[in-house]
Amino acid sequence: MVEITHRFVESTSGLRMHVAEAGEGPLVLLLHGFPECWYSWRHQLTALAEAGYHAVAPDQRGYARTGGPSEIDQYSILHLIGDAVGLVDALGEGPAVVAGHDWGAPVAWGTAQLRPDLVRAVIGLSVPHRPRSSRPPIAGFRQKAGDGFYKLYFQQPDVPERELDRDRADTFRRTLYAVSGDAPPNPMIVPEGGGFLDFCPSPDVLPDWLTEDDIAAYVTEYQDSGFTGPLNWYRNLDRNWELTAAWHRAPITPPALFVVGDRDPVVAGRRSAVDSMGDFVVNLRETVWLPGCGHWTQQERPKEVNEAMIGFLRGLS
C-alpha cells in the first residue's frame, strides 16, 4: 500500500508549508478548501501515487500545521497564488497540474490564469471559475442574499472564530454534513442573532463517507492553528477584487477539468455559472457531474473523483 508521508517545505513565497505527499512522477498539487486541510485529499493522494504521479497536498496559508501570519491583509488571493507557485518552485517539479476544491478552486483557477507557464493543467472541484465581477463582491452578496449570508457573517472580527473554536468536533461534524449530498438543501443563511452553525444540523448518524475517526483527524490537525487564518481568506474578498483588476475577465488557457456534485449548494440554482465556464476557461476538456453528491466531492465520492482526475491526467500526454 502506498504510504502518505509528511514534511515541511520552504515555499519561495516565504511561507513554511506543511505538505502530505505520496508517489513519484509528474507533480499534482492538491489545494484544499474551508474548513479542511491536507486530510481532505487522503483518498486522492494514494490513488494518484498508484497511478504514477507525485501527489502533494499542502496545508494552505493559515491552516493546520502550516499556520500563517496574523495580519488579515496577508491572506489575499495574490498571497495564496504566490504560495502555490512558490511550492511548485521549491519542489522543483514544474510545470504542475494544480487541483483545487472549495476555496482551493479559486486558488487553482487563479494560478492557472496568472502563471500558465507553471501550470500544465488545472482541475477545479465544486467551485467553478467565475470571471471578475464589475463591482466588489461584498455588496453583491448583500444585495442577493441579505446580511445573513455566511460570507458576510465571516467578516466580523472574532465572533466567527469564537463560535467555530468552541467545540471543534461539533464544528466539523455539522459543517461536513450540512452541505453534503446526504443533508437537506441548505440556503447557508445565518439566522438573525445566530451563528454559522445554526444552519448546520448535527446528523443523527454520520453518512457512510464520514467517520468519527475522520472528524477526530480534523480536530487534531487544527489543534494549534484554529480558525482565524482560514476565516481571514473570507475577509479579503473585496481586497481580492481590487488586486485582480489587471486580470479582469482574462482567460484561463491550460487544459482544464471541472468536477461538481449536483446537490452542491454552491451551484444550486446557478447551473448557468457551470455551463458558461468555457467562455473563460477556454480549454475546458470536460465537466463531470456527480449525481447525489454535495459539496465535499473528493471525500463523498472518492472513486468517481479519482477516476475523473486520473483519466484527465492520462489524456494530457
Side-chain angles (χ1 to χ4, degrees):
M1 182 176 178
V2 174
E3 180 184 6
I4 297 174
T5 61
H6 299 261
R7 61 172 166 143
F8 286 87
V9 176
E10 298 287 343
S11 167
T12 60
S13 70
L15 185 67
R16 183 172 182 262
M17 303 183 75
H18 165 256
V19 303
E21 61 187 332
E24 297 179 354
L27 176 61
V28 181
L29 190 64
L30 304 168
L31 305 176
H32 65 78
F34 175 93
E36 300 171 283
C37 63
W38 74 267
Y39 188 77
S40 70
W41 295 105
R42 58 196 179 278
H43 305 297
Q44 288 67 47
L45 283 164
T46 53
L48 289 168
E50 289 170 352
Y53 298 93
H54 180 200
V56 177
D59 289 333
Q60 294 202 79
R61 178 174 292 241
Y63 280 86
R65 299 187 220 180
T66 292
S70 58
E71 299 87 354
I72 292 174
D73 65 1
Q74 295 298 296
Y75 291 84
S76 77
I77 190 65
L78 295 187
H79 287 91
L80 307 177
I81 292 171
D83 291 338
V85 169
L87 186 54
V88 172
D89 187 45
L91 293 169
E93 300 177 33
V97 175
V98 182
H101 167 258
D102 182 77
W103 247 116
V107 180
W109 295 125
T111 303
Q113 186 180 53
L114 273 60
R115 291 300 307 270
D117 57 312
L118 290 179
V119 177
R120 182 179 174 217
V122 58
I123 302 172
L125 287 79
S126 297
V127 177
H129 169 66
R130 298 186 180 107
R132 182 178 178 273
S133 63
S134 58
R135 62 173 178 168
I138 293 296
F141 291 140
R142 182 168 285 115
Q143 181 180 5
K144 291 178 181 178
D147 289 332
F149 188 50
Y150 78 100
K151 291 183 180 180
L152 301 183
Y153 173 75
F154 285 167
Q155 302 305 308
Q156 301 175 88
D158 302 324
V159 173
E161 38 263 84
R162 281 202 301 268
E163 179 191 10
L164 299 179
D165 278 326
R166 189 175 301 124
D167 182 341
R168 290 177 185 165
D170 185 58
T171 292
F172 287 112
R173 183 178 293 106
R174 288 175 178 268
T175 304
L176 291 170
Y177 171 70
V179 289
S180 74
D182 300 277
N186 197 322
M188 305 180 77
I189 301 295
V190 176
E192 186 174 356
F196 175 80
L197 297 178
D198 288 333
F199 68 70
C200 299
S202 182
D204 295 329
V205 179
L206 290 175
D208 291 342
W209 57 271
L210 182 65
T211 69
E212 291 293 346
D213 287 343
D214 294 330
I215 292 169
Y218 279 114
V219 171
T220 298
E221 294 296 330
Y222 272 63
Q223 64 185 351
D224 295 326
S225 60
F227 284 92
T228 297
L231 288 164
N232 282 342
W233 291 41
Y234 290 93
R235 292 164 178 156
N236 278 276
L237 293 173
D238 277 358
R239 182 177 287 111
N240 293 343
W241 182 82
E242 295 171 358
L243 292 172
T244 55
W247 295 276
H248 183 72
R249 303 177 81 80
I252 292 172
T253 57
L257 168 71
F258 184 56
V259 183
V260 63
D262 68 358
R263 299 201 68 235
D264 190 333
V266 170
V267 298
R270 294 187 290 274
R271 177 81 182 235
S272 61
V274 177
D275 293 340
S276 64
M277 257 208 316
D279 294 344
F280 294 95
V281 184
V282 296
N283 199 358
L284 180 63
R285 300 280 180 88
E286 185 180 12
T287 294
V288 177
W289 287 91
L290 301 176
C293 181
H295 185 62
W296 313 109
T297 44
Q298 76 270 31
Q299 296 184 84
E300 292 185 54
R301 298 292 179 81
K303 181 176 183 293
E304 292 94 326
V305 169
N306 294 345
E307 289 175 351
M309 291 180 71
I310 292 169
F312 171 72
L313 293 171
R314 287 178 172 160
L316 293 175
S317 58

